[in-house]
């Protein structure tokens, strides 16, 4: 069902009509516009109710494309981009360089809010522009209507909106790059380009896009918008029809400038003259409002994310057909540069080039951009491997949907990376993430943590053991030269805990006694940062491993059904064996052979030395019971450390009521740290007592009661109250029937007698 009117006017007629519409008087107060735009956004955003009637919705025919009644009753909601263009030009006439804005009738903040909502609405409406896309079973009709006399609208030509928009912006983008006209044209293309176009259209315009992009040097906003356009195009272009090598080489060439890498070197010697930095262009400040993310930090992060998205997409062979049909996986040779595709090899060379700049002592303007680059590159690689597994399960369980998805988004055909290339990427990225983890820049250190998490998710069985052992060496008291690495090592352990337990619990359980012994010293009253990281690690640990008891290790592979969906109407269950398919990628013969060919000095290869890679331990239940007993013994030692923190606590940082709003002896940063510490302490203690069995809880309750009876804590009342709250809120026993119900809370009962002792 087509809602709207098809605009078949030519370019000149459309321009004249636009000028006529804009010349008409328009009166709508700014508050009313804001309210209407807010309502429209609630309906049009990606997760709004209208998403199922957009041209990007997946229409899988239940009859194999024969167009039965169920298929032909699908709805399609269509908007016209010229109507939204009129709305944008009324809001910001200066987008047209030949027009001048009207005198402001409202405050600048309100004008900015209206413009931001308008731009967001236009970007959300791109999925509803008419591109000639119709659901399966759609009956094409002529201008005179259907045979039964119903009045219907004709279906326009394919890519009608995209072609009309390209005709409007093409000349400025190709021939007016010396002026700001190309910037305005690119903003128009970025805002109004439909979400879905045909492969034929993209194959026709992408060479011209790359030509326009390369005509403007060193303009970050211009580069970012073109990367967004190519990220949109990649989904709908068949991998065998376009060579992405030219785009990949252009990206790698520009990465040195984008990431601020000092290609010529940096030295304190000023005896030799230095060349001035190259000039750059930038969008006018008024035009930045159409594409800005709100801050320079967000703009930089978005920029790096687009770079890595395109680089990872350009990696690997152009099609999986070369690997699956023309080669025998059992006869693939060992890993070497000859086995790696040209795209992956060029990216690996770039990573080898920037490796020295990841040294923790190498600090400069390039440090943070490289940390963000590593984070997003690891994420995109993990995302691609995960999508490969998801697509395989979709093909097995829902082949009709998978067939339609591959037809609508042909790029999914080239998502499968060969095992040789996955090993090569992990071998190159893991050392970089390990170095970034110990960077002197806190943001880069955090990026190293997340990178380790993403890379470990790809192959937990081989990546987790060497990284865990490396972190434990930094926590050992005998390693005096590694003591400064302890906070980063604790954060790394927190990240590596979940992937190891999911893939093979013995990776963590076999090392648990040593982990608990070495991390206990991390709770130090003289180092709040290290204490916080230790508490976060313990919080994650007790969420996965019980404290005490004798429960067996659950086997997630015994039952194929993860959920009982008896009454879950409207919920589609995709697959029962997603994890098995995901891990089968790293269990393939070509992957194992590539891993075995790595040099012994490789960080990734160390897993073959420290871990049994043939499978999980046969006596996993015994390992689980021993780990729970170890946790029970550790619990009292952990409480003793918490008591030391409470004894050494000073006066709490609080916000004062003075002119500055902050207490005279403390800054706002101190207040934020104190609040964060209290929050982490509360969460850790609540999970800690909740995961105990009854016997361990009784011992812990006896320890807490004795501590409260013997200690006076004038400056730790708040944190001590968190300890009492955790004890009292984690054990309940409601028994009885009808009106006779017994409420038992052993923690509350034991603490009440101590806390209310001196109350009259």
């Amino acid at each position: 069902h087509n809602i709207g009117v098809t605009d078949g006017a030519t370019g000149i007629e459309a321009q004249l009509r636009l000028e006529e519409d804009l010349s008409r008087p328009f009166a709508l107060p700014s508050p009313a516009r804001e309210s209407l735009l807010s309502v429209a956004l609630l309906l049009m955003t990606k997760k709004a109710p209208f998403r199922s009637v957009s041209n990007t919705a997946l229409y899988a025919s239940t009859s194999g494309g024969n167009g039965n009644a169920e298929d032909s009753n699908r709805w399609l909601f269509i908007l016209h981009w010229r109507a939204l263009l009129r709305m944008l030009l009324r809001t910001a006439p200066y987008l047209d360089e030949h027009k001048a804005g009207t005198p402001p009738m409202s405050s600048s903040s309100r004008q900015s809010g209206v413009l931001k909502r308008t731009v967001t609405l236009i970007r959300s409406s791109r999925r509803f522009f008419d591109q000639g896309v119709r659901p399966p079973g759609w009956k094409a009709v002529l201008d005179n209507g259907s045979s039964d006399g119903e009045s219907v609208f004709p279906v326009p030509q394919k890519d009608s909106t995209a072609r009309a928009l390209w005709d409007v912006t093409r000349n400025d983008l190709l021939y007016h790059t010396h002026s700001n006209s190309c910037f305005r044209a690119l903003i128009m293309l970025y805002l109004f380009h439909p979400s879905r176009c045909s492969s034929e259209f993209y194959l026709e315009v992408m060479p011209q896009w790359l030509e326009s992009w390369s005509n403007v040097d060193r303009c970050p906003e211009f580069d970012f918008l073109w990367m967004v356009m190519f990220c949109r195009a990649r989904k709908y272009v068949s991998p065998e029809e376009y060579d992405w090598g030219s785009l990949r080489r252009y990206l790698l060439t520009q990465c040195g400038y984008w990431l601020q890498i000092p290609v010529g070197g940096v030295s304190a010697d000023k005896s030799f003259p230095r060349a001035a930095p190259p000039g750059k262009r930038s969008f006018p400040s008024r035009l930045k409002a159409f594409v800005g993310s709100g801050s320079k930090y967000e703009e930089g992060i978005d920029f790096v994310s687009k770079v890595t998205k395109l680089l990872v997409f350009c990696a690997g062979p152009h099609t999986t057909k070369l690997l699956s049909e023309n080669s025998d996986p059992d006869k693939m040779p060992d890993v070497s540069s000859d086995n790696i595709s040209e795209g992956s090899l060029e990216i690996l060379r770039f990573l080898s080039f920037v490796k020295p700049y990841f040294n923790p002592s190498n600090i400069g303007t390039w440090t943070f951009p490289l940390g963000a680059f590593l984070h997003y590159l690891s994420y995109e690689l993990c995302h691609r491997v995960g999508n490969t597994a998801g697509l395989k399960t979709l093909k097995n369980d829902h082949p009709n949907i998978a067939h339609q998805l591959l037809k609508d988004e042909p790029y999914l055909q080239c998502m499968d990376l060969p095992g040789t290339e996955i090993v090569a990427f992990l071998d190159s990225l893991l050392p970089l993430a390990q170095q970034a983890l110990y960077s002197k820049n806190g943001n880069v250190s955090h990026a190293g943590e997340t990178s380790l998490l993403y890379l470990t998710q790809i192959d937990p069985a081989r990546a987790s053991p060497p990284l865990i052992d490396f972190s434990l060496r930094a926590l050992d008291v005998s390693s005096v030269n590694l003591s400064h690495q302890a906070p980063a090592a604790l954060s790394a352990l927190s990240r590596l805990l979940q992937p190891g337990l999911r893939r093979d619990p013995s990776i963590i359980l076999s090392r648990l006694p040593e982990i608990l012994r070495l991390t206990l010293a991390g709770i130090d009253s003289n180092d709040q940062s290290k204490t916080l990281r230790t508490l976060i690690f313990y919080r994650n640990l007790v969420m996965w491993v019980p404290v005490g008891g004798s429960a067996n290790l659950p086997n997630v592979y015994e039952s194929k059904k993860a959920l009982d969906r008896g009454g879950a109407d409207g919920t589609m269950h995709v697959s029962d064996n997603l994890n098995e398919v995901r891990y089968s990628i790293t269990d393939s013969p070509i992957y194992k052979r590539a891993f075995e060919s790595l040099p012994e000095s490789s960080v990734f290869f160390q897993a073959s030395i420290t871990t049994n890679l043939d499978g999980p331990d046969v006596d996993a239940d015994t390992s689980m019971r021993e780990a729970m007993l170890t946790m029970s013994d550790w619990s009292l030692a952990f409480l003793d450390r918490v008591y030391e923190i409470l004894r050494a606590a000073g006066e709490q940082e609080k916000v004062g009521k003075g002119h500055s709003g902050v207490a005279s002896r403390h800054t706002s940063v101190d207040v934020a740290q104190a609040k964060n510490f209290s929050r982490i302490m509360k969460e850790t203690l609540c999970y800690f007592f909740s995961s105990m069995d009854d016997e361990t809880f009784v011992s812990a309750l006896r320890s807490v009661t004795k501590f409260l009876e013997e200690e006076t804590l004038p400056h730790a009342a708040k944190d001590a109250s968190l300890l009492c709250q955790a004890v009292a809120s984690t054990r309940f026993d409601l028994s009885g029937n009808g009106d006779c119900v017994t409420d038992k809370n052993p923690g509350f009962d034991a603490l009440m007698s101590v806390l209310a002792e001196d109350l009259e």
Side-chain angles (χ1 to χ4, degrees), residues 525-544:
S525 59
N526 298 316
D527 192 341
Q528 191 179 64
S529 175
K530 187 166 65 172
T531 302
L532 273 175
R533 298 183 189 222
T534 306
L535 290 175
I536 292 173
F537 169 72
Y538 285 157
R539 180 191 62 183
N540 296 340
L541 178 64
V542 296
M543 291 171 63
W544 285 86

Side-chain angles (χ1 to χ4, degrees), residues 503-582:
R503 181 65 176 96
D504 183 5
S506 63
I507 296 175
I508 302 296
L509 298 182
S510 61
R511 295 170 171 82
L512 190 58
E514 185 181 8
I515 291 175
L516 295 177
R517 179 180 62 84
L518 295 178
T519 56
L520 200 58
I523 302 181
D524 187 358
S525 59
N526 298 316
D527 192 341
Q528 191 179 64
S529 175
K530 187 166 65 172
T531 302
L532 273 175
R533 298 183 189 222
T534 306
L535 290 175
I536 292 173
F537 169 72
Y538 285 157
R539 180 191 62 183
N540 296 340
L541 178 64
V542 296
M543 291 171 63
W544 285 86
V545 182
V547 181
S550 58
N552 293 331
L553 183 67
N555 190 348
V556 296
Y557 299 105
E558 287 183 355
S559 176
K560 293 288 185 180
K561 296 296 182 182
L563 296 173
D564 182 9
R565 291 167 299 278
D569 295 336
T571 301
M572 176 176 291
H573 182 230
V574 177
S575 175
D576 291 311
N577 58 346
L578 179 60
N579 278 337
E580 294 180 6
V581 175
R582 183 163 66 92

Side-chain angles (χ1 to χ4, degrees), residues 184-222:
R184 291 182 167 88
L186 183 55
I187 289 174
M188 285 274 297
L189 189 65
Y190 164 75
L191 292 179
F192 291 94
H193 188 75
S195 296
R196 179 175 178 178
C197 298
S198 65
S199 178
E200 294 79 8
F201 172 78
Y202 280 125
L203 292 174
E204 178 183 341
V205 300
M206 279 198 299
Q208 302 178 62
W209 286 5
L210 191 58
E211 178 186 355
S212 174
W213 187 2
S214 58
N215 286 338
V216 178
D217 292 333
R218 294 181 293 278
C219 182
E221 298 90 353
F222 195 75

